[in-house]
Amino acid sequence: MAKTTGRHYTRTAARAAAAALTAALVATGTSAVAADAPQPSLGAAADQPAAASSAATATPSFALYGVNSAGTAYSYNPNGKGGLTAREVSGSGWLGVSAMMQVDNQVDGESDGLWFRETNGDMGYLKFDASSVKIGYGWNIYNKLVSPGQIGGAAAGDILAVDTKGDLYVYLGYGDGTVTKRIKAGYGWDIYSEIAGNGDLDGDGKNDVVARDKSGVLWLYKGTGNQNAPFAKRTKIGSGWNTYDRLISTGDVDLDGRTDLIARKGGELYLYKGTGNAAAPYKPKAKIGTSGWDGYKFLF
């Protein structure tokens, strides 16, 4: 069992999301494809969702979910002290999937559903406390999928996808789990082994991401709010980040209003608290998990 440090403190909204996931967390690919389902082999942008404010309305603060090799899902909530609560069983049946991402479609700072990719390339969406639906197919052309919140000025959370050639694509969310056709937003992203983000790191109201290259250097990509060019030129955060096998952002873990970063090193878990300063976006690491975290196939 994964162990956590710190006192237990339960946030009501996060617990409610976990309870909803317990009731609904069953992967399926049998539902009908949405009318505007993305086809990753195509490239043109579709009609865009209604525009929302470029400034984030709430700092995201999600529970952290882990799924083991048996397909059982567990949730960990922020404990109010910069750590995580003890885990709770939050679902089962997550076999035959290759990616999972939370999303905040209401843009209220709380996740309300998740996207998942099945091993056959089908893409599904599960609204908490509801049935899952298939939103597309052919998504196995991507080797990285990230849900960083709003990055293109649309109505809800979006998806970043990197294909095997290193091309970066944006899928804008409609707010109901479906997404637009893809928009090409960059190239050369195959140099990165990890990409993470869920909120604003520099205080300008736009969502940012961090990316670790294969030499272990971590880079900051500041958000622009432009769906066609969602990130400014990268800036270096630091080196030595290849000591971690996973980087995840669930938003604000210590509840100070700033987005944080979670890093896994074998069975241990570390928290890098956000500063709001682009020149030095994270404080020194703090250990928040002592053992057992390598037992999860997915952390999101």
Side-chain angles (χ1 to χ4, degrees), residues 6-293:
R7 297 179 181 177
H8 291 175
Y9 169 82
T10 302
R11 297 179 67 246
T12 302
R15 181 178 288 275
L21 190 59
T22 302
L25 203 58
V26 179
T28 178
T30 60
S31 299
V33 179
D36 289 315
Q39 307 302 331
S41 59
L42 304 177
D47 293 338
Q48 306 307 312
S53 170
S54 61
T57 57
T59 302
S61 183
F62 298 174
L64 173 66
Y65 290 99
V67 177
N68 64 19
S69 59
T72 303
Y74 298 90
S75 62
Y76 300 82
N77 295 319
N79 66 6
K81 301 292 183 179
L84 300 170
T85 62
R87 72 179 187 177
E88 298 180 8
V89 176
S90 293
S92 61
W94 287 100
L95 299 173
V97 297
S98 57
M100 301 176 75
M101 306 169 286
Q102 295 186 74
V103 59
D104 174 13
N105 282 315
Q106 302 299 318
V107 197
D108 59 1
E110 299 289 343
S111 62
D112 44 45
L114 65 89
W115 283 302
F116 60 92
R117 181 183 62 188
E118 299 185 63
T119 52
N120 65 0
D122 287 352
M123 193 71 172
Y125 171 71
L126 172 68
K127 181 180 180 181
F128 290 151
D129 209 18
S131 298
S132 60
V133 295
K134 180 178 174 180
I135 65 167
Y137 58 88
W139 286 70
N140 49 9
I141 68 169
Y142 298 121
N143 55 19
K144 292 182 182 63
L145 293 170
V146 181
S147 177
Q150 287 179 301
I151 57 169
D158 305 322
I159 297 176
L160 292 178
V162 180
D163 67 16
T164 55
K165 296 184 297 182
D167 290 342
L168 176 70
Y169 294 92
V170 176
Y171 290 87
L172 302 179
Y174 282 108
D176 60 358
T178 62
V179 294
T180 65
K181 291 182 180 179
R182 67 182 188 176
I183 304 165
K184 187 172 182 179
Y187 59 90
W189 284 70
D190 52 338
I191 67 171
Y192 298 119
S193 53
E194 287 288 307
I195 302 171
N198 188 26
D200 176 21
L201 288 170
D202 62 350
D204 67 354
K206 298 180 177 67
N207 285 3
D208 312 308
V209 300
V210 295
R212 184 192 66 193
D213 67 27
K214 294 175 183 178
S215 70
V217 176
L218 190 68
W219 301 88
L220 170 64
Y221 281 89
K222 295 174 60 175
T224 65
N226 179 350
Q227 61 198 32
N228 296 301
F231 302 114
K233 184 178 179 181
R234 70 180 189 177
T235 57
K236 185 176 179 179
I237 295 175
S239 58
W241 287 80
N242 51 3
T243 189
Y244 301 114
D245 56 75
R246 284 288 284 116
L247 298 176
I248 314 105
S249 180
T250 57
D252 181 12
V253 176
D254 61 346
L255 309 183
D256 66 351
R258 299 187 181 96
T259 293
D260 308 314
L261 184 68
I262 295 172
R264 184 178 70 178
K265 179 182 179 182
E268 299 173 344
L269 205 67
Y270 294 88
L271 177 67
Y272 286 85
K273 297 180 180 180
T275 65
N277 178 5
Y282 299 117
K283 297 178 182 179
K285 68 182 180 183
K287 183 183 286 189
I288 60 171
T290 58
S291 64
W293 290 90

